Amino acid sequence: MPKVLIAPMTLADVGGTFADRLRAAGFELVYPARAAQLNEEELLHALQGVSASLAGSEPYTRRVIEANPTLRVIARVGVGYDAVDLKGATDHGIAVTITPGTNHDAVAEHTFCLLLALTKRLTPQHLATKAGSWPRQTNLPLRSRTLGLIGLGRIGKAVALRGVCFGMPVIAYEPFPDKEFVKKHEIQLLPLDKVFADSDYLSLHVPLTPESRHMVNRRTLALMKPTAFLINTARGGMVCEADLVDALRDKRIAGAGLDVFEQEPPGQSPLFQLDNVVLTPHIAGGDLRSRDDMAAAAASAIVALSRGEWPAEQVVNPEVRARFKW
């Protein structure tokens, strides 16, 4: 019986559609020894004898791939795949899949959770009230404040719609825009540096690539208003955290809401010492509904590939098809 590793800690001891689909197709479900994000060494051993993996953010390095020759599919429970050595997977005939269209609303909701928490000073007011104080300070409005988006794909669009509902003018940087969507919702497309400069709230929604790595850095942070906030629910590598910490300490920007970090978990980050940040543990895309939808879609990709079918809309390394064997 072929085995599937259920790697994401959010799926530990969780049944549902994904498990039913895999078992009905004749797979045995294997879970890690502990419900935590696996490091490279743990993943290397957890994959032994496994044919496919429902993958979270654990590192599928070339070393991990080469140590597990039975692995045929890495099915990401999500849309980002920067934790996978794509060339290494392709070189070894492994199909890598994602789950498009399953979590964009969850990420958009979490983006606004962070944005509102910063705007309304939720954390300090909550803590002060619990401590017996009565900190009735005037908070910022969202209405009429400019929401800047870097990336206007599925997630960027979902965030834009929520910004419009809050009465926020929306500007965006997007090289390949959906012109109909942009026109309908009166979104202003601008060059990248102009979006940094004009945003009151700047939210990142592009994949992590060599071009986008550290796109938020000392230079681009200097373009931002001192009253502006940065929100990152995309990938931690897009932000140079050392430069961001300096900007936050020096009040060169007003604050930041981060769901993702350069290193995950972030260890003893200097961000933890700042009072103008709101931090969450890379959970934006994983509410109950999106978790189940992503897991079901990932399971379906594994089942399809095991049957000789090719879920083209999910495979991110289509060049592997010619040499792919179950």
Side-chain angles (χ1 to χ4, degrees), residues 4-5 7 47 50-55 58 60 71 73-76 302:
V4 176
L5 176 68
L47 285 170
V50 164
S51 299
S53 173
L54 249 66
E58 58 281 353
Y60 292 82
L71 188 62
V73 181
I74 300 171
R76 273 282 293 121
I302 291 171

Side-chain angles (χ1 to χ4, degrees), residues 61-264:
T61 62
R62 183 175 285 271
R63 174 172 173 253
V64 167
I65 289 167
E66 290 179 346
N68 291 281
T70 62
L71 188 62
R72 311 311 317 137
V73 181
I74 300 171
R76 273 282 293 121
V77 181
V79 293
Y81 50 93
D82 49 285
V84 180
D85 184 329
L86 197 62
K87 186 176 187 306
T90 303
D91 288 347
H92 288 78
I94 298 170
V96 180
T97 67
I98 59 172
T99 59
T102 54
N103 74 342
H104 53 285
D105 284 322
V107 177
E109 289 176 8
H110 197 88
T111 297
F112 262 82
C113 168
L114 294 173
L115 191 153
L116 283 163
L118 289 164
T119 303
K120 304 304 180 182
R121 302 185 69 253
L122 181 64
T123 302
Q125 291 187 99
H126 165 75
L127 294 174
T129 302
K130 283 186 67 175
S133 182
W134 196 240
R136 299 192 67 201
Q137 299 175 348
T138 304
N139 296 316
L140 296 171
L142 280 189
R143 58 198 179 280
S144 300
R145 299 295 178 106
T146 299
L147 174 61
L149 304 175
I150 297 178
L152 205 57
R154 283 190 183 92
I155 296 173
K157 287 178 179 179
V159 175
L161 291 175
R162 286 155 177 81
V164 170
C165 290
F166 273 95
M168 305 177 77
V170 180
I171 62 176
Y173 169 76
E174 172 53 62
F176 306 103
D178 178 340
K179 293 182 179 179
E180 183 178 344
F181 180 89
V182 167
K183 181 179 179 180
K184 179 179 179 180
H185 299 288
E186 300 181 346
I187 297 169
Q188 186 179 9
L189 296 176
L190 295 173
L192 182 61
D193 282 2
K194 187 68 170 166
V195 175
F196 271 94
D198 289 0
S199 298
D200 294 306
Y201 300 89
L202 180 67
S203 193
L204 309 180
H205 300 291
V206 292
L208 179 61
T209 64
E211 293 73 30
S212 66
R213 182 172 292 279
H214 284 185
M215 70 186 311
V216 178
N217 54 48
R218 189 172 302 277
R219 184 191 74 82
T220 52
L221 285 163
L223 298 173
M224 296 178 67
K225 303 175 185 178
T227 54
F229 296 90
L230 173 72
I231 310 293
N232 188 10
T233 54
R235 284 294 184 268
M238 293 168 60
V239 176
C240 176
E241 284 182 13
D243 292 351
L244 176 61
V245 167
D246 287 344
L248 291 166
R249 280 177 176 161
D250 297 342
K251 310 298 183 185
R252 282 184 270 126
I253 65 171
L258 306 176
D259 182 59
V260 288
F261 304 86
E262 285 192 278
Q263 174 186 313
E264 294 184 355

